[in-house]
Amino acid sequence: VAVLGLGRIGSAVADLLASGACAPHLEATIAGALVRSADGRRATTPFPICTEPLAIFDARPDVVIEVLGGLEPARTVVLEALSRGIPVVTANKTLIATYGDELFAAATRFGTPLRCEAAVVAGVPFLGTFAARPLAASVDRVTAILNGTSNFVLSRVDGGVAFEEALADARRLGYAEPDPSKDVDGSDAAEKLAILVRHFARLSIRPSGIAAESIENVGPDEMRAARALGGRIKPVAVAEWSSPDLGCFAGPAFLPEDDLLGGLGGVLNGVRLERRGSAAIHLIGPGAGPEVTARAVLDDVVEALGGRQQVGVGALPRASVGPPASQGYFVTLRATSLPDAVDVADLLAAHGVWIRRWDALQAHPDGELRAFLTFPCLPDELLMALRALAAASACAATSRPIVEARRD
Ligand SMILES: NC(=O)c1ccc[n+]([C@@H]2O[C@H](COP(=O)([O-])OP(=O)(O)OC[C@H]3O[C@@H](n4cnc5c(N)ncnc54)[C@H](OP(=O)(O)O)[C@@H]3O)[C@@H](O)[C@H]2O)c1
């Protein structure tokens, strides 16, 4: 195998191969590896190292493992491998979310396997499983926690820790990247959601078209208010589709406390697959980490060498993305002195927003805080209602979508 990238994942792949853990399913040696700088650290590496991307083919690999990250040179080398009939395994969600159409179309054209199990919830091997089981995979809604760092951070915030401190803890424990912005702002989850839409809805979407919200302004007071109303705030990604509409969201959302995904703490990831009229399927496990990711990568190598093509290949129809259907909102109001609940309810109702449940008024460092849940309403109705409330009473409002499993 050729390994593109010898960072956390590439090194774990090399270690796992060297340990013999893959026998008897896979007997492979590393024919060569691509890195950015072949400095002294790599003087003792027991296989050839190169820094020129296309030079990796001089090693004549049977399989290419792409764990570089980013778009280039990953895209160029993957396309070159596919055109040469060399199967490719990648863990690179950015690459697949951005160039999935082009890469899977090339895989189909050249009849070469391209697999990406480790790109989404690396520790739970489900993409390949569902790709081979089209009836089980015919779902119309995916709800997931796809980013372990943001789940860890919000779990700490739920325990009363401020956001900045929780993020510093994630960095100290090695869960967060040196630059965690893609974890925090929802764009990492949006890329993974785009891959899930590709696999389950068989639609192609741009990750940048998904409305993504940051977890940055979720604080312990909002978490307490959510708990008082029977839920939790979690970093959730949702996609639902029914021809011709596709609705997606990635960001902090209110989950009822009996929701299986709502109960996932720390760095755990989870995916719920729903189909109207059927019981939901839940998949739960580690989303990242060098060893679990390396195992997913090498299992993909075993499958690719077995000749099984990943379903979901080829260019798929492009879809535009709107918001998912509203299940209501969790709203928190803060002001020096909040208006009476009855007045708030009247003003919101005048804009088509109906309150389902109130929490008690709480003291807050800036004055008062009060939270409530609404019945389903349009995002624009909520926006206009909260603007009118801010104009009438100078209160600041934060809203999170309610995300619930279907009860039908
Ligand atoms: N970390 C996880 O837990 C995890 C989980 C699932 C999926 N993934 C995915 O796996 C991939 C790799 O992640 P990682 O954490 O292993 O990344 P990483 O530690 O940053 O390693 C990247 C490796 O790629 C090499 N590289 C980067 N750009 C290059 C270029 N232009 N030319 C040649 N070599 C280049 C680097 O070379 P140098 O060493 O010389 O800098 C390094 O060896 C990413 O797509 C990531 O999203 C990661």
Side-chain angles (χ1 to χ4, degrees):
V1 298
V3 183
L4 312 181
L6 278 184
R8 280 159 296 188
I9 307 305
S11 302
V13 166
D15 290 348
L16 207 53
L17 281 172
S19 74
C22 305
H25 316 286
L26 179 68
E27 287 181 24
T29 50
I30 298 182
L34 171 69
V35 293
R36 206 168 0 215
S37 70
D39 55 21
R41 283 177 299 155
R42 299 201 156 117
T44 56
T45 308
F47 40 78
I49 298 281
C50 68
T51 54
E52 165 53 39
L54 295 179
I56 197 68
F57 295 104
D58 297 346
R60 304 176 67 80
D62 295 322
V63 181
V64 164
I65 294 173
E66 188 278 303
V67 283
L68 295 164
L71 296 177
E72 288 292 355
R75 170 180 164 272
T76 300
V77 187
V78 168
L79 283 171
E80 181 64 27
L82 294 172
S83 72
R84 292 177 183 227
I86 303 171
V88 175
V89 169
T90 178
N92 186 341
K93 67 225 150 204
T94 309
L95 181 73
I96 296 294
T98 309
Y99 291 127
D101 275 344
E102 182 185 23
L103 299 178
F104 282 112
T108 306
R109 190 161 66 250
F110 297 111
T112 313
L114 167 63
R115 306 192 61 88
C116 62
E117 186 70 60
V120 185
V121 196
V124 183
F126 69 107
L127 290 180
T129 304
F130 279 91
R133 306 192 72 79
L135 298 186
S138 73
V139 299
D140 54 26
R141 189 175 196 227
V142 177
T143 310
I145 293 179
L146 296 173
N147 183 279
T149 305
S150 58
N151 196 26
F152 174 85
V153 169
L154 285 194
S155 302
R156 297 280 289 146
V157 172
D158 198 16
V161 174
F163 174 83
E164 291 301 340
E165 193 183 336
L167 187 58
D169 287 347
R171 280 210 185 97
R172 189 171 43 78
L173 293 167
Y175 297 144
E177 305 282 334
D179 173 11
S181 54
K182 283 181 78 171
D183 299 322
V184 169
D185 69 12
S187 50
D188 174 83
E191 285 181 350
K192 293 169 178 167
L193 188 62
I195 297 175
L196 294 182
V197 166
R198 172 169 198 93
H199 277 257
F200 288 98
R202 306 200 41 76
L203 292 170
S204 167
I205 57 170
R206 288 182 211 289
S208 57
I210 296 172
E213 281 179 19
S214 171
I215 58 167
E216 210 164 355
N217 64 353
V218 180
D221 54 355
E222 196 182 352
M223 287 290 191
R224 270 194 302 278
R227 279 191 177 261
L229 285 167
R232 285 167 198 181
I233 310 284
K234 286 282 172 189
V236 172
V238 188
E240 59 187 23
W241 53 93
S242 64
S243 183
D245 298 320
L246 172 70
C248 295
F249 168 80
F254 178 97
L255 267 55
E257 61 196 0
D258 62 353
D259 189 301
L260 281 176
L261 297 179
L264 300 186
V267 289
L268 273 179
N269 281 201
V271 178
R272 172 162 59 234
L273 301 171
E274 290 174 277
R275 177 174 57 246
R276 279 186 194 285
S278 294
I281 297 171
H282 288 85
L283 305 146
I284 289 167
E291 204 205 320
V292 289
T293 307
R295 283 181 186 276
V297 163
L298 290 172
D299 273 343
D300 263 358
V301 172
V302 173
E303 288 218 351
L305 288 175
R308 189 142 78 86
Q309 182 61 284
Q310 180 123 0
V311 181
V313 295
L316 296 173
R318 269 255 166 221
S320 57
V321 187
S326 168
Q327 296 183 296
Y329 291 88
F330 164 72
V331 180
T332 314
L333 304 177
R334 294 176 187 81
T336 319
S337 172
L338 282 168
D340 282 348
V342 177
D343 295 336
V344 173
D346 282 350
L347 191 147
L348 296 190
H351 289 82
V353 178
W354 299 89
I355 292 174
R356 190 191 326 178
R357 202 174 144 198
W358 281 100
D359 181 22
L361 192 70
Q362 294 176 29
H364 180 263
D366 301 330
E368 294 175 337
L369 177 150
R370 189 159 207 178
F372 57 87
L373 302 178
T374 77
F375 284 101
C377 62
L378 296 175
D380 282 352
E381 289 174 331
L382 184 73
L383 188 71
M384 298 308 286
L386 294 180
R387 272 193 195 150
L389 187 61
S393 64
C395 67
T398 318
S399 65
R400 314 287 178 199
I402 297 172
V403 174
E404 293 184 277
R406 290 193 188 122
R407 309 260 173 209
D408 58 2

mmCIF file of all heavy atoms in Angstrom, residues 155-192:
data_model
loop_
_atom_site.group_PDB
_atom_site.id
_atom_site.type_symbol
_atom_site.label_atom_id
_atom_site.label_comp_id
_atom_site.label_asym_id
_atom_site.label_seq_id
_atom_site.Cartn_x
_atom_site.Cartn_y
_atom_site.Cartn_z
ATOM 1 N N SER A 155 -20.839 19.043 26.355
ATOM 2 C CA SER A 155 -21.068 18.204 27.551
ATOM 3 C C SER A 155 -20.448 18.867 28.773
ATOM 4 O O SER A 155 -21.029 18.856 29.868
ATOM 5 C CB SER A 155 -20.463 16.806 27.374
ATOM 6 O OG SER A 155 -21.014 16.179 26.252
ATOM 7 N N ARG A 156 -19.257 19.485 28.596
ATOM 8 C CA ARG A 156 -18.602 20.189 29.707
ATOM 9 C C ARG A 156 -19.405 21.441 30.077
ATOM 10 O O ARG A 156 -19.565 21.747 31.259
ATOM 11 C CB ARG A 156 -17.176 20.609 29.324
ATOM 12 C CG ARG A 156 -16.237 19.459 29.033
ATOM 13 C CD ARG A 156 -15.674 18.825 30.298
ATOM 14 N NE ARG A 156 -14.724 19.689 30.967
ATOM 15 C CZ ARG A 156 -14.555 19.756 32.283
ATOM 16 N NH1 ARG A 156 -15.309 19.024 33.071
ATOM 17 N NH2 ARG A 156 -13.667 20.556 32.813
ATOM 18 N N VAL A 157 -19.903 22.139 29.060
ATOM 19 C CA VAL A 157 -20.708 23.340 29.340
ATOM 20 C C VAL A 157 -21.971 22.924 30.111
ATOM 21 O O VAL A 157 -22.394 23.596 31.057
ATOM 22 C CB VAL A 157 -21.078 24.078 28.026
ATOM 23 C CG1 VAL A 157 -22.069 25.208 28.290
ATOM 24 C CG2 VAL A 157 -19.814 24.628 27.353
ATOM 25 N N ASP A 158 -22.542 21.783 29.745
ATOM 26 C CA ASP A 158 -23.724 21.255 30.446
ATOM 27 C C ASP A 158 -23.384 20.952 31.911
ATOM 28 O O ASP A 158 -24.242 21.023 32.779
ATOM 29 C CB ASP A 158 -24.198 19.980 29.732
ATOM 30 C CG ASP A 158 -25.621 19.607 30.102
ATOM 31 O OD1 ASP A 158 -26.338 20.471 30.652
ATOM 32 O OD2 ASP A 158 -26.007 18.459 29.859
ATOM 33 N N GLY A 159 -22.112 20.645 32.167
ATOM 34 C CA GLY A 159 -21.679 20.393 33.550
ATOM 35 C C GLY A 159 -21.349 21.676 34.294
ATOM 36 O O GLY A 159 -20.816 21.621 35.407
ATOM 37 N N GLY A 160 -21.571 22.842 33.672
ATOM 38 C CA GLY A 160 -21.403 24.114 34.370
ATOM 39 C C GLY A 160 -20.128 24.858 34.018
ATOM 40 O O GLY A 160 -19.842 25.910 34.584
ATOM 41 N N VAL A 161 -19.330 24.318 33.075
ATOM 42 C CA VAL A 161 -18.055 24.944 32.706
ATOM 43 C C VAL A 161 -18.306 25.955 31.576
ATOM 44 O O VAL A 161 -19.105 25.703 30.682
ATOM 45 C CB VAL A 161 -17.074 23.836 32.224
ATOM 46 C CG1 VAL A 161 -15.789 24.428 31.699
ATOM 47 C CG2 VAL A 161 -16.800 22.861 33.364
ATOM 48 N N ALA A 162 -17.615 27.095 31.613
ATOM 49 C CA ALA A 162 -17.787 28.103 30.554
ATOM 50 C C ALA A 162 -17.210 27.579 29.239
ATOM 51 O O ALA A 162 -16.291 26.740 29.243
ATOM 52 C CB ALA A 162 -17.083 29.398 30.952
ATOM 53 N N PHE A 163 -17.727 28.091 28.116
ATOM 54 C CA PHE A 163 -17.339 27.587 26.793
ATOM 55 C C PHE A 163 -15.822 27.611 26.583
ATOM 56 O O PHE A 163 -15.227 26.605 26.163
ATOM 57 C CB PHE A 163 -18.034 28.421 25.698
ATOM 58 C CG PHE A 163 -17.583 28.053 24.324
ATOM 59 C CD1 PHE A 163 -18.133 26.969 23.659
ATOM 60 C CD2 PHE A 163 -16.564 28.766 23.696
ATOM 61 C CE1 PHE A 163 -17.690 26.605 22.395
ATOM 62 C CE2 PHE A 163 -16.114 28.412 22.432
ATOM 63 C CZ PHE A 163 -16.678 27.327 21.788
ATOM 64 N N GLU A 164 -15.161 28.755 26.873
ATOM 65 C CA GLU A 164 -13.714 28.877 26.607
ATOM 66 C C GLU A 164 -12.926 27.848 27.405
ATOM 67 O O GLU A 164 -11.965 27.259 26.909
ATOM 68 C CB GLU A 164 -13.218 30.291 26.947
ATOM 69 C CG GLU A 164 -13.722 31.377 26.006
ATOM 70 C CD GLU A 164 -13.325 31.129 24.543
ATOM 71 O OE1 GLU A 164 -12.371 30.367 24.305
ATOM 72 O OE2 GLU A 164 -13.992 31.685 23.652
ATOM 73 N N GLU A 165 -13.338 27.646 28.659
ATOM 74 C CA GLU A 165 -12.637 26.673 29.511
ATOM 75 C C GLU A 165 -12.845 25.246 28.977
ATOM 76 O O GLU A 165 -11.920 24.432 28.947
ATOM 77 C CB GLU A 165 -13.177 26.806 30.937
ATOM 78 C CG GLU A 165 -12.343 26.083 31.971
ATOM 79 C CD GLU A 165 -12.986 26.199 33.364
ATOM 80 O OE1 GLU A 165 -13.753 27.143 33.630
ATOM 81 O OE2 GLU A 165 -12.710 25.290 34.177
ATOM 82 N N ALA A 166 -14.076 24.957 28.524
ATOM 83 C CA ALA A 166 -14.374 23.625 27.985
ATOM 84 C C ALA A 166 -13.539 23.364 26.735
ATOM 85 O O ALA A 166 -13.006 22.268 26.532
ATOM 86 C CB ALA A 166 -15.870 23.517 27.668
ATOM 87 N N LEU A 167 -13.388 24.395 25.881
ATOM 88 C CA LEU A 167 -12.590 24.239 24.661
ATOM 89 C C LEU A 167 -11.110 24.039 25.014
ATOM 90 O O LEU A 167 -10.413 23.217 24.396
ATOM 91 C CB LEU A 167 -12.779 25.467 23.761
ATOM 92 C CG LEU A 167 -12.154 25.388 22.377
ATOM 93 C CD1 LEU A 167 -12.688 24.189 21.584
ATOM 94 C CD2 LEU A 167 -12.429 26.680 21.591
ATOM 95 N N ALA A 168 -10.646 24.766 26.032
ATOM 96 C CA ALA A 168 -9.251 24.601 26.475
ATOM 97 C C ALA A 168 -9.043 23.175 26.990
ATOM 98 O O ALA A 168 -7.997 22.547 26.727
ATOM 99 C CB ALA A 168 -8.924 25.624 27.558
ATOM 100 N N ASP A 169 -10.042 22.620 27.702
ATOM 101 C CA ASP A 169 -9.953 21.220 28.182
ATOM 102 C C ASP A 169 -9.845 20.268 26.985
ATOM 103 O O ASP A 169 -9.052 19.325 27.003
ATOM 104 C CB ASP A 169 -11.200 20.839 28.983
ATOM 105 C CG ASP A 169 -11.220 21.503 30.350
ATOM 106 O OD1 ASP A 169 -10.172 22.037 30.755
ATOM 107 O OD2 ASP A 169 -12.294 21.487 30.983
ATOM 108 N N ALA A 170 -10.651 20.525 25.946
ATOM 109 C CA ALA A 170 -10.632 19.649 24.760
ATOM 110 C C ALA A 170 -9.252 19.685 24.108
ATOM 111 O O ALA A 170 -8.730 18.659 23.669
ATOM 112 C CB ALA A 170 -11.709 20.093 23.757
ATOM 113 N N ARG A 171 -8.641 20.875 24.083
ATOM 114 C CA ARG A 171 -7.288 20.989 23.493
ATOM 115 C C ARG A 171 -6.277 20.237 24.348
ATOM 116 O O ARG A 171 -5.445 19.493 23.835
ATOM 117 C CB ARG A 171 -6.881 22.462 23.444
ATOM 118 C CG ARG A 171 -7.480 23.219 22.296
ATOM 119 C CD ARG A 171 -6.492 24.329 21.923
ATOM 120 N NE ARG A 171 -7.028 25.195 20.905
ATOM 121 C CZ ARG A 171 -7.618 26.357 21.164
ATOM 122 N NH1 ARG A 171 -7.751 26.787 22.381
ATOM 123 N NH2 ARG A 171 -8.059 27.084 20.180
ATOM 124 N N ARG A 172 -6.363 20.452 25.664
ATOM 125 C CA ARG A 172 -5.402 19.828 26.586
ATOM 126 C C ARG A 172 -5.464 18.296 26.485
ATOM 127 O O ARG A 172 -4.449 17.611 26.531
ATOM 128 C CB ARG A 172 -5.732 20.281 28.024
ATOM 129 C CG ARG A 172 -4.714 19.902 29.073
ATOM 130 C CD ARG A 172 -5.025 20.588 30.414
ATOM 131 N NE ARG A 172 -6.429 20.578 30.785
ATOM 132 C CZ ARG A 172 -7.072 19.535 31.297
ATOM 133 N NH1 ARG A 172 -6.433 18.419 31.506
ATOM 134 N NH2 ARG A 172 -8.361 19.596 31.595
ATOM 135 N N LEU A 173 -6.674 17.752 26.300
ATOM 136 C CA LEU A 173 -6.838 16.296 26.241
ATOM 137 C C LEU A 173 -6.592 15.741 24.831
ATOM 138 O O LEU A 173 -6.721 14.544 24.593
ATOM 139 C CB LEU A 173 -8.256 15.921 26.700
ATOM 140 C CG LEU A 173 -8.516 16.196 28.188
ATOM 141 C CD1 LEU A 173 -10.000 16.121 28.497
ATOM 142 C CD2 LEU A 173 -7.743 15.197 29.055
ATOM 143 N N GLY A 174 -6.249 16.633 23.877
ATOM 144 C CA GLY A 174 -5.915 16.183 22.516
ATOM 145 C C GLY A 174 -7.132 15.911 21.659
ATOM 146 O O GLY A 174 -7.020 15.317 20.586
ATOM 147 N N TYR A 175 -8.335 16.345 22.110
ATOM 148 C CA TYR A 175 -9.535 16.117 21.288
ATOM 149 C C TYR A 175 -9.676 17.181 20.205
ATOM 150 O O TYR A 175 -10.227 16.920 19.144
ATOM 151 C CB TYR A 175 -10.811 16.149 22.147
ATOM 152 C CG TYR A 175 -10.872 15.063 23.188
ATOM 153 C CD1 TYR A 175 -11.437 15.297 24.436
ATOM 154 C CD2 TYR A 175 -10.365 13.786 22.937
ATOM 155 C CE1 TYR A 175 -11.501 14.313 25.400
ATOM 156 C CE2 TYR A 175 -10.415 12.804 23.898
ATOM 157 C CZ TYR A 175 -10.984 13.073 25.124
ATOM 158 O OH TYR A 175 -11.044 12.101 26.068
ATOM 159 N N ALA A 176 -9.237 18.403 20.512
ATOM 160 C CA ALA A 176 -9.429 19.504 19.559
ATOM 161 C C ALA A 176 -8.162 19.722 18.754
ATOM 162 O O ALA A 176 -7.052 19.523 19.239
ATOM 163 C CB ALA A 176 -9.806 20.783 20.307
ATOM 164 N N GLU A 177 -8.341 20.132 17.490
ATOM 165 C CA GLU A 177 -7.218 20.511 16.623
ATOM 166 C C GLU A 177 -6.593 21.792 17.181
ATOM 167 O O GLU A 177 -7.264 22.548 17.896
ATOM 168 C CB GLU A 177 -7.747 20.843 15.215
ATOM 169 C CG GLU A 177 -8.556 19.769 14.567
ATOM 170 C CD GLU A 177 -7.689 18.666 13.995
ATOM 171 O OE1 GLU A 177 -6.530 18.956 13.676
ATOM 172 O OE2 GLU A 177 -8.162 17.523 13.912
ATOM 173 N N PRO A 178 -5.316 22.078 16.794
ATOM 174 C CA PRO A 178 -4.741 23.370 17.194
ATOM 175 C C PRO A 178 -5.658 24.522 16.749
ATOM 176 O O PRO A 178 -5.828 25.497 17.463
ATOM 177 C CB PRO A 178 -3.409 23.410 16.438
ATOM 178 C CG PRO A 178 -3.070 21.985 16.143
ATOM 179 C CD PRO A 178 -4.364 21.248 16.026
ATOM 180 N N ASP A 179 -6.274 24.389 15.536
ATOM 181 C CA ASP A 179 -7.283 25.360 15.115
ATOM 182 C C ASP A 179 -8.633 24.643 15.097
ATOM 183 O O ASP A 179 -8.961 23.943 14.132
ATOM 184 C CB ASP A 179 -6.959 25.893 13.711
ATOM 185 C CG ASP A 179 -8.095 26.764 13.186
ATOM 186 O OD1 ASP A 179 -9.004 27.103 13.977
ATOM 187 O OD2 ASP A 179 -8.084 27.095 11.986
ATOM 188 N N PRO A 180 -9.421 24.810 16.179
ATOM 189 C CA PRO A 180 -10.677 24.033 16.264
ATOM 190 C C PRO A 180 -11.861 24.722 15.599
ATOM 191 O O PRO A 180 -13.007 24.341 15.838
ATOM 192 C CB PRO A 180 -10.891 23.947 17.777
ATOM 193 C CG PRO A 180 -10.291 25.207 18.308
ATOM 194 C CD PRO A 180 -9.214 25.657 17.362
ATOM 195 N N SER A 181 -11.604 25.723 14.732
ATOM 196 C CA SER A 181 -12.732 26.530 14.239
ATOM 197 C C SER A 181 -13.760 25.698 13.471
ATOM 198 O O SER A 181 -14.959 25.921 13.583
ATOM 199 C CB SER A 181 -12.233 27.712 13.401
ATOM 200 O OG SER A 181 -11.398 27.242 12.379
ATOM 201 N N LYS A 182 -13.304 24.677 12.701
ATOM 202 C CA LYS A 182 -14.275 23.887 11.923
ATOM 203 C C LYS A 182 -15.134 22.993 12.821
ATOM 204 O O LYS A 182 -16.237 22.618 12.461
ATOM 205 C CB LYS A 182 -13.546 23.023 10.883
ATOM 206 C CG LYS A 182 -13.100 23.838 9.667
ATOM 207 C CD LYS A 182 -12.411 22.996 8.633
ATOM 208 C CE LYS A 182 -13.385 22.198 7.815
ATOM 209 N NZ LYS A 182 -12.743 21.527 6.655
ATOM 210 N N ASP A 183 -14.583 22.627 13.998
ATOM 211 C CA ASP A 183 -15.385 21.864 14.962
ATOM 212 C C ASP A 183 -16.432 22.773 15.601
ATOM 213 O O ASP A 183 -17.580 22.394 15.799
ATOM 214 C CB ASP A 183 -14.493 21.299 16.075
ATOM 215 C CG ASP A 183 -13.438 20.353 15.538
ATOM 216 O OD1 ASP A 183 -13.753 19.583 14.609
ATOM 217 O OD2 ASP A 183 -12.299 20.385 16.034
ATOM 218 N N VAL A 184 -15.997 23.988 15.945
ATOM 219 C CA VAL A 184 -16.857 24.905 16.692
ATOM 220 C C VAL A 184 -17.948 25.510 15.809
ATOM 221 O O VAL A 184 -19.109 25.604 16.215
ATOM 222 C CB VAL A 184 -15.980 26.027 17.319
ATOM 223 C CG1 VAL A 184 -16.845 27.150 17.874
ATOM 224 C CG2 VAL A 184 -15.095 25.447 18.422
ATOM 225 N N ASP A 185 -17.601 25.888 14.570
ATOM 226 C CA ASP A 185 -18.584 26.639 13.763
ATOM 227 C C ASP A 185 -19.548 25.739 12.975
ATOM 228 O O ASP A 185 -20.386 26.231 12.221
ATOM 229 C CB ASP A 185 -17.880 27.627 12.820
ATOM 230 C CG ASP A 185 -17.105 26.939 11.690
ATOM 231 O OD1 ASP A 185 -17.274 25.723 11.478
ATOM 232 O OD2 ASP A 185 -16.327 27.629 11.005
ATOM 233 N N GLY A 186 -19.432 24.428 13.143
ATOM 234 C CA GLY A 186 -20.387 23.508 12.506
ATOM 235 C C GLY A 186 -19.974 23.072 11.110
ATOM 236 O O GLY A 186 -20.630 22.216 10.507
ATOM 237 N N SER A 187 -18.865 23.610 10.555
ATOM 238 C CA SER A 187 -18.554 23.256 9.165
ATOM 239 C C SER A 187 -18.011 21.836 9.028
ATOM 240 O O SER A 187 -18.227 21.182 8.014
ATOM 241 C CB SER A 187 -17.622 24.286 8.509
ATOM 242 O OG SER A 187 -16.521 24.548 9.304
ATOM 243 N N ASP A 188 -17.325 21.312 10.067
ATOM 244 C CA ASP A 188 -16.884 19.910 10.017
ATOM 245 C C ASP A 188 -18.112 18.986 9.974
ATOM 246 O O ASP A 188 -18.179 18.060 9.146
ATOM 247 C CB ASP A 188 -16.019 19.598 11.249
ATOM 248 C CG ASP A 188 -15.646 18.123 11.342
ATOM 249 O OD1 ASP A 188 -14.678 17.718 10.681
ATOM 250 O OD2 ASP A 188 -16.340 17.369 12.066
ATOM 251 N N ALA A 189 -19.099 19.272 10.832
ATOM 252 C CA ALA A 189 -20.324 18.448 10.840
ATOM 253 C C ALA A 189 -21.065 18.589 9.515
ATOM 254 O O ALA A 189 -21.630 17.609 9.000
ATOM 255 C CB ALA A 189 -21.221 18.857 12.006
ATOM 256 N N ALA A 190 -21.052 19.801 8.925
ATOM 257 C CA ALA A 190 -21.749 20.006 7.645
ATOM 258 C C ALA A 190 -21.101 19.166 6.538
ATOM 259 O O ALA A 190 -21.797 18.586 5.697
ATOM 260 C CB ALA A 190 -21.746 21.490 7.272
ATOM 261 N N GLU A 191 -19.764 19.070 6.537
ATOM 262 C CA GLU A 191 -19.089 18.243 5.524
ATOM 263 C C GLU A 191 -19.494 16.770 5.682
ATOM 264 O O GLU A 191 -19.788 16.080 4.696
ATOM 265 C CB GLU A 191 -17.572 18.352 5.673
ATOM 266 C CG GLU A 191 -17.019 19.672 5.161
ATOM 267 C CD GLU A 191 -15.505 19.809 5.283
ATOM 268 O OE1 GLU A 191 -14.859 18.951 5.947
ATOM 269 O OE2 GLU A 191 -14.971 20.761 4.743
ATOM 270 N N LYS A 192 -19.530 16.308 6.937
ATOM 271 C CA LYS A 192 -19.902 14.900 7.151
ATOM 272 C C LYS A 192 -21.368 14.675 6.787
ATOM 273 O O LYS A 192 -21.724 13.631 6.231
ATOM 274 C CB LYS A 192 -19.634 14.521 8.604
ATOM 275 C CG LYS A 192 -18.142 14.511 8.942
ATOM 276 C CD LYS A 192 -17.917 14.409 10.431
ATOM 277 C CE LYS A 192 -16.445 14.356 10.770
ATOM 278 N NZ LYS A 192 -16.201 14.563 12.209
#
